[in-house]
Amino acid sequence: MAEKDKPGNAMWGGRFAAGPSAIMEAINVSIDVDRRMAQEDIAGSRAHCEMLTATGIIGKADGEAILDGLAMIEAEIENGSFPFRREFEDIHLNVEARLKELIGPAAGRLHTARSRNDQVATDFKLALRNAIDGLDLRFAALQTALLGQAERHASTIMPGFTHLQTAQPVSFGHYALAYVEMLGRDRGRFADARARLNESPLGAAALAGTSFPIDRRMTAAALGFVRPQANSIDAVSARDFALEVLAAASIASITLSRLAEEIVIWSSAEFGFVRLPDEWTTGSSIMPQKRNPDAAELVRAKSGRVTGALVGLLMVMKGLPLAYSKDMQEDKPQTFEALDALTLSLAAMTGMIETLALDEAKLKAAAGRAYATATDLADWLVQNLGLPFREAHHVTGADREARRGEEVAARQAHFGTDAERRAQDHGGRVLRPQRREFRRLA
């Protein structure tokens, strides 16, 4: 059949003489992404049907048939037998088409007083609400893992850093609790986003509401929303709720990225503070000695994908006039991908923290290097000798440099200068470049 002879979409094609081209279908179809909102779509349709029946907008028999059909579709989705079809574009039309196959013409009454505009906004809010609830459990698990390490190592001394240089001694427990606090704020941002998105768009229809005597409070309550959204235009055109979730996800991913960076650095041979077990590391295809902290590195990398999703959706929304535009179909792929990446990162980080082994001796030794207690000495001079802090600071700094000079002189007296060591091998012979070897390696 030629493209121009294809029938129009049965759900909206009444004024169309032909169906979409193959390319139009490819760019328009979203079922591959929004099929993950199937449960939310059925929940929204169930609440809408019950409201239509309670208000007398549709008959009781039709309402019961629709609810029975939705239950059958729900079972098909759960057991994997539901026929997701690209010709029906999205999850909403897929469910409605299947409902018609199961119960006949009564299925057409379900869309009374409803548009896909308010339907998709409702589904999306329900999906994000569920995602936030799942993420909160993941955050709690990571905080619990960090608390466990903090309790086990409340007295384990380690160097605290500023500018990645040794600053002052701290305990590992105190260090771990810093991330517990950061993750608590991350959870709070998601909780705030959840509270703000928890208003129902259902009943706004395309943008101007409906002439049917619907009960929006009934559907809002049935779906667990605190109230209907007040403005119908805002209800279908807003995606700031998704942006806020992505903003919270982006900040949380940065928290995880910073913790991942600590693990990468600390597990290196140069530091040797911690060791990851085999299940959280990988090897090299050429260097047999390598144990790479790839899980931590990938957590660090995924923060870029999460923050990229926020920027992407901001660019989608930045120039859209009210109310709905098809651009907004691009809200879900990047949002779902970002939340999946954050969920996986939280699970991986929790596993690493739970099994992280500390080298307490190396941590303590490192804490004693680089004059880490210099601030304590300055404080002692203030508290016991009455020096102004700036003078105590100067005295301590000068003492540090004097001690450093003494240490350097002592090393040179014992080992020779750096230049002398470079110039001689163990037998006292002057080292000369092996030009032939250099040429071979060049």
Side-chain angles (χ1 to χ4, degrees):
M1 181 183 293
E3 286 186 359
K4 66 182 180 64
D5 297 325
K6 289 180 182 177
N9 188 294
M11 300 298 176
W12 49 256
R15 70 173 296 270
F16 290 80
S21 72
I23 295 176
M24 176 61 197
E25 182 177 283
I27 198 172
N28 190 48
V29 167
S30 64
I31 186 60
D32 296 334
V33 173
D34 56 38
R35 63 186 291 171
R36 71 184 284 164
M37 300 193 303
Q39 294 293 347
E40 289 82 2
D41 195 73
I42 290 171
S45 290
R46 184 178 287 119
H48 186 65
C49 176
E50 290 171 346
M51 181 276 295
L52 292 176
T53 305
T55 55
I57 296 173
I58 66 174
K60 183 177 180 181
D62 285 339
E64 290 176 350
I66 291 170
L67 292 175
D68 289 343
L70 290 172
M72 287 186 278
I73 292 171
E74 187 173 39
E76 289 180 344
I77 291 171
E78 288 177 353
N79 64 33
S81 64
F82 182 83
F84 292 101
R85 288 170 286 188
R86 291 177 62 82
E87 61 263 33
F88 294 120
E89 299 179 14
D90 56 35
I91 187 59
H92 323 299
L93 298 187
N94 265 266
V95 169
E96 187 172 340
R98 182 59 176 154
L99 187 64
K100 184 177 180 181
E101 292 172 352
L102 292 172
I103 69 171
R109 299 191 183 280
L110 176 59
H111 209 57
T112 306
R114 185 175 71 170
S115 163
R116 279 190 294 175
N117 293 358
D118 62 335
Q119 189 176 1
V120 70
T122 302
D123 289 1
F124 197 20
K125 282 192 168 190
L126 291 173
L128 291 184
R129 199 174 68 187
N130 291 336
I132 290 170
D133 293 344
L135 283 169
D136 191 65
L137 297 176
R138 295 285 189 183
F139 279 115
L142 178 52
Q143 286 181 302
T144 298
L146 285 162
L147 283 168
Q149 289 283 15
E151 290 175 351
R152 287 189 292 275
H153 296 285
S155 300
T156 299
I157 303 301
M158 65 170 287
F161 298 93
T162 60
H163 309 278
L164 199 55
Q165 298 183 61
T166 299
Q168 291 180 281
V170 296
S171 73
F172 186 86
H174 193 54
Y175 212 104
L177 290 175
Y179 280 102
V180 173
E181 294 293 327
M182 294 162 71
L183 291 165
R185 292 193 297 274
D186 289 327
R187 293 177 73 180
R189 278 182 279 271
F190 275 108
D192 290 344
R194 190 190 192 284
R196 263 185 292 279
L197 71 78
N198 203 27
E199 296 183 351
S200 175
L202 196 56
L207 79 159
T210 176
S211 59
F212 289 96
I214 62 173
D215 186 345
R216 294 188 65 208
R217 293 190 178 279
M218 179 180 175
T219 53
L223 294 171
F225 292 111
V226 294
R227 65 181 70 85
Q229 283 187 255
N231 185 285
S232 61
I233 298 175
D234 174 53
V236 298
S237 60
R239 289 298 183 273
D240 56 338
F241 62 88
L243 289 169
E244 189 171 8
V245 170
L246 285 175
S250 296
I251 298 171
S253 74
I254 299 303
T255 301
L256 296 180
S257 182
R258 296 180 74 180
L259 180 53
E261 174 73 353
E262 308 264 33
I263 293 174
V264 171
I265 293 173
W266 291 351
S267 63
S268 68
E270 290 72 18
F271 278 72
F273 290 174
V274 301
R275 180 180 175 86
L276 286 169
D278 288 349
E279 56 262 38
W280 296 109
T281 59
T282 64
S284 166
S285 63
I286 187 172
M287 297 172 285
Q289 83 280 11
K290 293 298 291 295
R291 294 180 78 258
N292 300 320
D294 283 3
E297 291 172 0
L298 288 167
V299 169
R300 187 176 59 187
K302 286 184 183 297
S303 64
R305 301 184 72 169
V306 177
T307 55
L310 171 60
V311 175
L313 185 53
L314 284 168
M315 294 303 99
V316 168
M317 297 301 299
K318 69 177 180 60
L320 297 187
L322 301 181
Y324 180 85
S325 295
K326 198 59 175 277
D327 310 51
M328 293 159 69
Q329 183 168 286
E330 294 299 307
D331 56 1
K332 287 171 284 297
Q334 50 206 336
T335 301
F336 290 149
E337 181 182 0
L339 294 179
D340 289 346
L342 181 58
T343 299
L344 182 58
S345 294
L346 283 165
M349 186 57 73
T350 301
M352 285 186 281
I353 294 299
E354 286 176 340
T355 56
L356 195 67
L358 275 61
D359 189 326
E360 297 184 29
K362 281 190 176 181
L363 285 166
K364 185 175 182 179
R369 292 194 291 267
Y371 307 95
T373 57
T375 303
D376 299 277
L377 174 56
D379 290 345
W380 185 91
L381 292 173
V382 172
Q383 294 168 349
N384 292 274
L385 300 184
L387 270 64
F389 181 78
R390 284 301 168 207
E391 184 178 349
H393 186 285
H394 178 78
V395 169
T396 303
D399 179 71
R400 179 208 182 282
E401 280 304 300
R403 288 176 180 273
R404 180 178 178 277
E406 292 171 0
E407 291 171 1
V408 170
R411 283 199 301 271
Q412 290 178 350
H414 185 75
F415 297 107
T417 66
D418 291 343
E420 290 171 343
R421 288 197 305 276
R422 285 196 299 269
Q424 295 183 350
D425 65 9
H426 292 297
R429 297 184 302 275
V430 175
L431 296 173
R432 293 182 175 85
Q434 301 296 313
R435 292 188 178 87
R436 183 175 62 184
E437 190 68 13
F438 287 170
R439 284 197 299 271
R440 186 181 70 80
L441 293 174

